[in-house]
Amino acid sequence: MNYLARKISFYVVALWAALTLNFLIPRLLPGNPVEILIQKLAARGPITPELRNSVELLLGDTSNDPILVQYWSYLTGIFSGDFGVSITYYPQPVVEIIAQALPWTIVMIGIGTIIAFLVGITLGMLAGWKRGSWLDNLVPVTTMFQAVPYFWLALILLYVSAVQFKIFPVSGGYSYTGAGPSWDWDFISSAIYYGTLPALTIVISSFGGWLLGMRNMMVSTLSEDYIVTAEAKGLRPTRIMMAYAARNAILPSVAGFAISLGFVVSGSIVTEQVFSYPGVGSTLLQAVNNNDYSLMQGLFLVITLTVLGANLIVDLLYTVIDPRTRARS
C-alpha cells in the first residue's frame, strides 16, 4: 500500500505539472485564436464589432483576464470536458474532434505495437534460449529493419503492396464509397482492410528491437546461478525457459513497452501522413498548421494522459511480475 500510495502521489504531481505546462505553452506562442478566426471570416465579408465580440465569447477568449483567472478557467474547463471550439474544424468542439480521431490511432498503432512486442519477445526468447541456431542468426536481419527510417520503409511497402500488386489500398482509413463510421460488419471489415498495411509496417519496423533486447537479456539471464540450480534439479527445459529465464529477462522490455504504449497516440504523425490515415497524428498536424491552439491543447493533454497512464499501469504491474519491488517497498 505504501508503494501504491507513493506511485499515485508521484503521478498526481506529474499530471498537475503537465496540465500547467499545457496551459502556459500556447499562451507563450505568437498569435491569437480570435484573430486567426477573424481573418478567416474576413474573407467572406466585413467584420463588425458585434461579430468580433461573438467570436470572443464563442472561443472563450480570456486573454484580458489576470493569469490566475485564466488558469482557474482552464482547469475547470478541463475537468468538465470543455476544451473549447476548434478553429480548424469550426464550429465543432475540440472534444468531438478528439473523440473521432482517437479510436483510429489507438486501434491501428496500438494493435501494431502490441503485435510487434509479442512477436519480438517470443522470437527473442527462443533465439536467446537456442544460441547459434538459425533463428539466432536472423537477429541482425531483423534489426536492420529498425535501422531503416520508418517513412522510407512505409513508402517502399506502400509502393510494392498497394501500387504494384494492389493488395492493399493506397490511402484512407475505410472505403468512402460506403456508409460512414458505424458498427456494422461492412464498415469494420473495410477499416481492418485499410488499417492492415499501416499496422504491418509498424510491426516490421519495430519488432527487431524487441527481439534483440529480449535475446540479449535471455543470454545474460541464462548464466545466472539460479538457472544452473534449476537445471541441476532436473526441471524440464520448457519450465526453466519460461518460469526462470524469460520471466526475469522480460522485465526491461516491459518498461520499454510502457513507454511505447504511452507514445502510441503521439507517434502516429508519420504513419498517418504516409498512408493518409485519419487519426490523432493527422489531426495534430492540421492543428499546428492552422495555429489551432484549443485543438493542440486538447491533443497534448490526451498524449500526456496516455503516457502517464501507461507508465502507471506498468509500475503497478511490476509489483506482480517482480517480487523484489514489493520487498523494496
Side-chain angles (χ1 to χ4, degrees):
M1 293 301 296
N2 291 334
Y3 175 82
L4 180 62
R6 288 200 305 269
K7 284 297 179 182
I8 293 179
S9 300
F10 168 79
Y11 282 104
V12 168
V13 174
L15 177 60
W16 170 79
L19 290 175
T20 303
L21 288 175
N22 198 32
F23 166 79
L24 292 174
I25 291 176
R27 284 159 177 79
L28 298 176
L29 296 175
N32 187 318
V34 175
E35 295 299 329
I36 295 171
L37 185 54
I38 288 295
Q39 291 175 8
K40 290 184 177 181
L41 295 176
R44 304 179 183 179
I47 303 299
T48 62
E50 291 78 11
L51 179 58
R52 174 180 288 274
N53 184 54
S54 299
V55 171
E56 291 177 352
L57 292 175
L58 178 65
L59 297 181
D61 182 30
T62 58
S63 57
N64 296 324
D65 295 337
I67 191 68
L68 292 179
V69 175
Q70 295 183 42
Y71 185 59
W72 177 253
S73 300
Y74 161 77
L75 290 179
T76 54
I78 290 294
F79 289 106
S80 63
D82 181 14
F83 298 107
V85 178
S86 170
I87 297 176
T88 306
Y89 301 92
Y90 178 83
Q92 194 172 4
V94 170
V95 174
E96 293 183 5
I97 300 170
I98 295 176
Q100 293 171 4
L102 194 59
W104 294 98
T105 298
I106 291 177
V107 171
M108 186 266 290
I109 297 188
I111 291 178
T113 302
I114 292 173
I115 292 175
F117 175 77
L118 295 177
V119 171
I121 290 300
T122 303
L123 295 180
M125 176 186 66
L126 296 175
W129 180 255
K130 297 182 178 180
R131 283 169 290 177
S133 63
W134 64 271
L135 181 59
D136 193 24
N137 294 329
L138 285 179
V139 172
V141 179
T142 59
T143 53
M144 178 193 69
F145 288 110
Q146 191 179 27
V148 174
Y150 174 80
F151 69 90
W152 187 84
L153 178 63
L155 289 172
I156 293 296
L157 292 177
L158 184 65
Y159 177 76
V160 172
S161 61
V163 178
Q164 287 294 320
F165 294 98
K166 303 185 185 305
I167 300 174
F168 297 107
V170 176
S171 63
Y174 60 93
S175 176
Y176 297 102
T177 57
S182 60
W183 289 106
D184 60 75
W185 174 245
D186 290 338
F187 172 76
I188 294 175
S189 60
S190 174
I192 293 174
Y193 176 56
Y194 275 75
T196 299
L197 182 58
L200 184 62
T201 307
I202 293 173
V203 173
I204 293 175
S205 64
S206 58
F207 87 97
W210 299 116
L211 191 158
L212 178 63
M214 185 63 179
R215 184 262 179 196
N216 291 340
M217 285 303 303
M218 280 290 291
V219 172
S220 176
T221 304
L222 289 174
S223 62
E224 296 290 341
D225 292 339
Y226 59 85
I227 298 294
V228 178
T229 303
E231 292 174 346
K233 289 181 177 179
L235 298 180
R236 289 179 290 110
T238 305
R239 183 180 178 187
I240 296 175
M241 179 180 68
M242 298 294 295
Y244 288 80
R247 182 179 179 182
N248 290 281
I250 200 175
L251 293 177
S253 297
V254 171
F257 181 60
I259 299 175
S260 299
L261 276 184
F263 285 100
V264 159
V265 175
S266 60
S268 61
I269 297 177
V270 175
T271 305
E272 294 174 6
Q273 282 300 111
V274 171
F275 295 99
S276 300
Y277 194 83
V280 171
S282 57
T283 304
L284 179 58
L285 188 60
Q286 291 183 30
V288 173
N289 290 335
N290 292 284
N291 293 327
D292 192 343
Y293 297 143
S294 297
L295 185 54
M296 281 191 285
Q297 259 188 328
L299 291 172
F300 290 151
L301 179 61
V302 170
I303 292 170
T304 301
L305 291 176
T306 54
V307 172
L308 292 177
N311 281 274
L312 175 60
I313 291 173
V314 172
D315 275 341
L316 299 179
L317 183 62
Y318 246 84
T319 62
V320 177
I321 61 178
D322 188 359
R324 293 171 297 181
T325 306
R326 297 194 297 271
R328 287 194 298 267
S329 64

